[in-house]
Amino acid sequence: MAESGSLPAGFGELEVLAVGTVLLVEALAGLSLNSLTILSFCKTPELRTPSHLLVLSLAVADSGLSLNALVAATSSLLRRWPYGSEGCQAHGFQGFVTALASICSSAAIAWGRYHHYCTRSRLAWNTAVFLVFFVWLSSTFWAALPLLGWGHYDYEPLGTCCTLDYSKGDRNFTSFLLTMAFFNLLLPLLITLTSYRLMEQKLGKTGQLQVPALVAKTVPTINAVNYALGSEMLHRGIWQCLSPQKSERDRAQ
């Protein structure tokens, strides 16, 4: 970890500034777009459906990721980690919870779309609530394991943010990483691919469904654009939140 006012070992001034700036832009963009999604769900009754509850879960997870990136951006611009070792553990835990929740929420959305388009039946509220509850409970469980000794959170090479300590190659970390990757990366990926492939076969479309969903798991901003701003109904809800007077006139008409 870098000392106060000094550069992290092995990094130059320009590199640290570039990392901090990129993280800051991404954090602010992700927070802004995902906050619009959350606000539109809360203020627009038409959006309060089981399917959109899954999108809300994704927006909350990506907002958490953006907050995590904002902390990392601030530390990078300060050129040091100011929150101590306990803050590092909390930062790593919060980032890992929201990252896993984002991945699993994306898989839940894919399955929800498959259910809607291929079975021609609406997603039930109890099913959607169960999926959201399971996603966050599972994500919290896996993120808590490094705090309990299986895996470990530590500073990243820049020394200004914290995540899983990938530098450890011992049996403890390797067993955690492989098990976690199977349940939280491979299985969600399989669910997503299978859901969109079945939708492709059912609807007779190619190249339109699966690619955005896979790319969207990487960046909160892309998630917001793909799942929220890319939805006509959510787009209308966001517009109503931004133009409350116009939406009131529309409802009166």
Side-chain angles (χ1 to χ4, degrees):
M1 181 178 63
E3 298 295 332
S4 176
S6 65
L7 290 173
F11 293 91
E13 183 82 36
L14 184 60
E15 293 172 310
V16 176
L17 180 62
V19 170
T21 302
V22 170
L23 285 174
L24 181 62
V25 171
E26 170 60 28
L28 294 177
L31 275 174
S32 300
L33 293 174
N34 285 290
S35 294
L36 280 176
T37 303
I38 296 170
L39 182 64
S40 65
F41 182 90
C42 295
K43 296 190 66 174
T44 309
E46 295 86 352
L47 297 181
R48 296 171 195 160
T49 65
S51 295
H52 287 133
L53 181 63
L54 302 180
V55 178
L56 177 67
S57 174
L58 179 65
V60 171
D62 286 340
S63 295
L65 272 176
S66 297
L67 285 173
N68 190 272
L70 185 60
V71 173
T74 303
S75 300
S76 296
L77 295 175
L78 290 173
R79 299 182 302 181
R80 64 186 180 89
W81 177 259
Y83 308 109
S85 59
E86 292 185 357
C88 176
Q89 296 300 303
H91 185 254
F93 172 76
Q94 188 269 344
F96 201 33
V97 168
T98 51
L100 295 180
S102 179
I103 294 172
C104 295
S105 292
S106 297
I109 290 173
W111 180 86
R113 290 181 173 179
Y114 157 77
H115 181 272
H116 176 75
Y117 289 109
C118 295
T119 66
R120 300 297 180 182
S121 60
R122 291 182 178 273
L123 187 66
W125 270 108
N126 58 350
T127 303
V129 170
F130 171 79
L131 286 173
V132 171
F133 178 77
F134 178 79
V135 162
W136 285 95
L137 181 64
S138 173
S139 300
T140 303
F141 168 77
W142 285 100
L145 290 177
L147 299 177
L148 301 176
W150 197 20
H152 181 64
Y153 294 121
D154 204 351
Y155 300 100
E156 292 188 350
L158 196 61
T160 55
C161 57
C162 297
T163 186
L164 285 176
D165 186 2
Y166 295 99
S167 66
K168 291 184 178 295
D170 56 14
R171 182 176 300 178
N172 176 281
F173 178 77
T174 301
S175 61
F176 170 74
L177 183 64
L178 292 177
T179 307
M180 181 276 300
F182 176 79
F183 286 105
N184 295 282
L185 296 177
L186 293 181
L187 278 184
L189 179 62
L190 179 62
I191 291 171
T192 302
L193 284 173
T194 302
S195 297
Y196 282 108
R197 177 59 63 182
L198 291 174
M199 287 174 62
E200 177 185 304
Q201 294 174 354
K202 181 75 173 181
L203 302 178
K205 296 180 180 180
T206 59
Q208 297 180 8
L209 297 173
Q210 64 270 36
V211 174
L214 293 177
V215 174
K217 282 194 282 294
T218 60
V219 182
T221 304
I222 298 178
N223 271 339
V225 172
N226 185 55
Y227 289 114
L229 300 182
S231 167
E232 182 179 353
M233 185 174 291
L234 275 168
H235 189 273
R236 290 201 303 268
I238 291 172
W239 180 249
Q240 289 177 11
C241 290
L242 296 177
S243 308
Q245 294 180 347
K246 182 177 180 180
S247 63
E248 289 175 2
R249 290 198 303 268
D250 292 341
R251 285 195 291 269
Q253 293 174 358

